[in-house]
Amino acid sequence: DSSLRERLRALRDQLHHHSYQYYVLDAPEIPDVEYDRLFRELQEIEAQHPEWLTPDSPSQRVGAEPLPSFNQVRHETPMLSLDNVFSEQELLDFDRRVKSRLDDAATLTYACEPKLDGIAVSLLYVDGILVRGATRGDGRVGEDITQNVRTIASIPLRLRGEDWPEELEVRGEIYMPRAGFERINALGRETDGKVFVNPRNAAAGSLRQLDSRITAKRPLEMSCYGIALQEGEALFETHSEGLQRLRDWGFLVSPELRVVDSIEGCLAYYEGLLARRDALAYDIDGIVFKVDSLALQAELGFVSRAPRWAIAHKFPAQEEITL
Ligand SMILES: Cc1c[n+]2nc(N)[nH]c2nc1OC(C)C
């Protein structure tokens, strides 16, 4: 049995690697049929030896028995929302307020990333293994959707690389790319007539499923935008470094992430992405600018529920296409 157990371990490692190559790097190394063969071999061994099943096994991707209800989760670090601005002048005001509050704004740089139009979630990893996924809820208490997030291929079941902390909480947006949205609506029209109004609703509906086997069939992805640091824990000095570490650990992080050294740079980034908005594979509803330095973020702190150090610069509402 030890050789069979060894084979199971090897299959798990291989499947994790190929899944990362395919879903996170979009660079598969083997054909799908080869992946499916390895996956079936793993399922056969786990069926013979259920006692060898582990929470990070790739077989978890297909979903589990439906839950009676969702448990609640309290976020140790509250999941904040963002203040919005809608014009260039308001963005310049944000920059002026930031500078007026900093002792020394000479080194001020901004991290820029698209604000994906999906569902904010928090993932908890202990010793490198995914142990919990939760919705934002009201920012303090959300719903436990661990079974559902396990089915999302771009969410690692175990971390890659090394030097990750033994407890890591990752925040990000679960969304449905437009192509996937069109596909499940076409399917819905042919079957139960259930269609979603937009990709955000489709993602929300897919995550609210008590039966994770349904979630497993929905084309969901997760793009990470932050790490919820425990008090005083400083693994890196800037937000953008943190996102690069998330990429090293196997997470999908927006390839549009940039760091600029002025609010003019932010405006150029905003105009640039607004011009490319319809060409992106997913819906975005604005740009998030963050003071990149974690030290400056700490100096700026938060007002009530939103950080002083971040702002969402929203796009004009997209005119609905009247069919
Ligand atoms: C609510 C939220 C949403 N987003 N979306 C991105 N891209 N970054 C980001 N940051 C957020 O909050 C942090 C500023 C804490």
Side-chain angles (χ1 to χ4, degrees):
D1 264 7
S2 65
S3 65
L4 192 60
R5 189 159 193 179
E6 204 34 56
R7 175 66 185 152
L8 180 61
R9 212 168 273 125
L11 283 167
R12 225 178 279 154
D13 292 347
Q14 286 173 41
L15 286 163
H16 277 301
H17 171 73
H18 291 305
S19 174
Y20 171 74
Q21 289 295 136
Y22 186 93
Y23 289 106
V24 180
L25 299 187
D26 194 16
E29 290 173 347
I30 56 172
D32 296 1
V33 287
E34 171 61 13
Y35 182 89
D36 294 343
R37 195 191 61 71
L38 293 170
F39 191 84
R40 271 197 307 281
E41 189 185 343
L42 171 121
Q43 285 186 307
E44 279 155 23
I45 299 177
E46 286 181 347
Q48 288 164 22
H49 294 276
E51 72 281 11
W52 291 351
L53 202 55
T54 57
D56 68 330
S57 169
S59 58
Q60 301 289 303
R61 295 287 192 200
V62 297
E65 287 303 309
L67 297 172
S69 66
F70 287 117
N71 293 329
Q72 291 209 317
V73 167
R74 170 166 293 283
H75 299 296
E76 293 307 312
T77 310
M79 288 185 73
L80 300 162
S81 54
L82 285 164
D83 276 347
N84 297 330
V85 296
F86 295 88
S87 71
E88 176 172 329
Q89 185 50 52
E90 286 177 319
L91 186 64
L92 296 174
D93 293 345
F94 167 74
D95 178 55
R96 190 176 37 72
R97 284 197 306 275
V98 163
K99 284 171 178 159
S100 68
R101 283 186 167 279
L102 290 178
D103 292 342
D104 173 9
T107 62
L108 175 63
T109 56
Y110 286 111
C112 316
E113 43 190 294
K115 186 171 182 311
L116 271 63
D117 197 4
I119 308 297
V121 297
S122 177
L123 303 175
L124 182 62
Y125 289 77
V126 174
D127 295 331
I129 303 290
L130 174 65
V131 295
R132 190 184 71 196
T135 61
R136 181 180 173 282
D138 65 4
R140 295 193 178 288
V141 176
E143 287 178 326
D144 184 328
I145 53 166
T146 306
Q147 297 286 26
N148 291 347
V149 301
R150 280 195 203 289
T151 70
I152 300 174
S154 53
I155 292 179
L157 293 174
R158 67 159 84 146
L159 300 182
R160 295 173 62 84
E162 65 275 326
D163 68 24
W164 25 262
E166 65 188 41
E167 183 165 315
L168 173 72
E169 191 180 341
V170 178
R171 304 282 170 80
E173 202 89 9
I174 290 180
Y175 63 98
M176 188 178 291
R178 250 184 240 122
F181 167 68
E182 303 300 345
R183 195 166 65 245
I184 60 159
N185 266 0
L187 192 66
R189 274 190 282 275
E190 284 158 23
T191 53
D192 59 4
K194 177 155 185 42
V195 292
F196 293 99
V197 172
N198 58 44
R200 190 207 165 281
N201 287 14
S206 303
L207 283 179
R208 248 200 310 273
Q209 287 293 335
L210 287 167
D211 184 350
S212 52
R213 292 167 302 189
I214 295 174
T215 311
K217 295 187 179 62
R218 298 287 172 80
L220 296 173
E221 296 192 12
M222 177 172 176
S223 182
C224 298
Y225 59 64
I227 296 174
L229 288 171
Q230 315 306 337
E231 281 311 305
E233 183 188 25
L235 302 165
F236 32 80
E237 305 205 327
T238 65
H239 167 72
S240 50
E241 267 174 67
L243 294 187
Q244 184 48 49
R245 301 291 284 281
L246 289 182
R247 286 191 180 118
D248 301 341
W249 297 337
F251 292 95
L252 198 159
V253 169
S254 173
E256 305 293 343
L257 172 69
R258 297 289 182 280
V259 177
V260 299
D261 58 10
S262 68
I263 201 66
E264 290 71 25
C266 292
L267 282 166
Y269 180 93
Y270 173 89
E271 294 304 334
L273 218 48
L274 178 57
R276 291 171 41 219
R277 184 184 193 181
D278 294 342
L280 296 175
Y282 42 84
D283 285 355
I284 61 175
D285 60 358
I287 305 294
V288 179
F289 296 119
K290 298 173 186 171
V291 169
D292 201 28
S293 154
L294 296 183
L296 296 185
Q297 288 185 11
E299 195 181 329
L300 290 159
F302 307 85
V303 284
S304 69
R305 56 174 183 76
R308 280 203 191 90
W309 42 266
I311 201 78
H313 187 178
K314 309 292 282 257
F315 288 147
Q318 230 165 349
E319 61 289 336
E320 288 308 310
I321 309 144
T322 47
L323 293 175

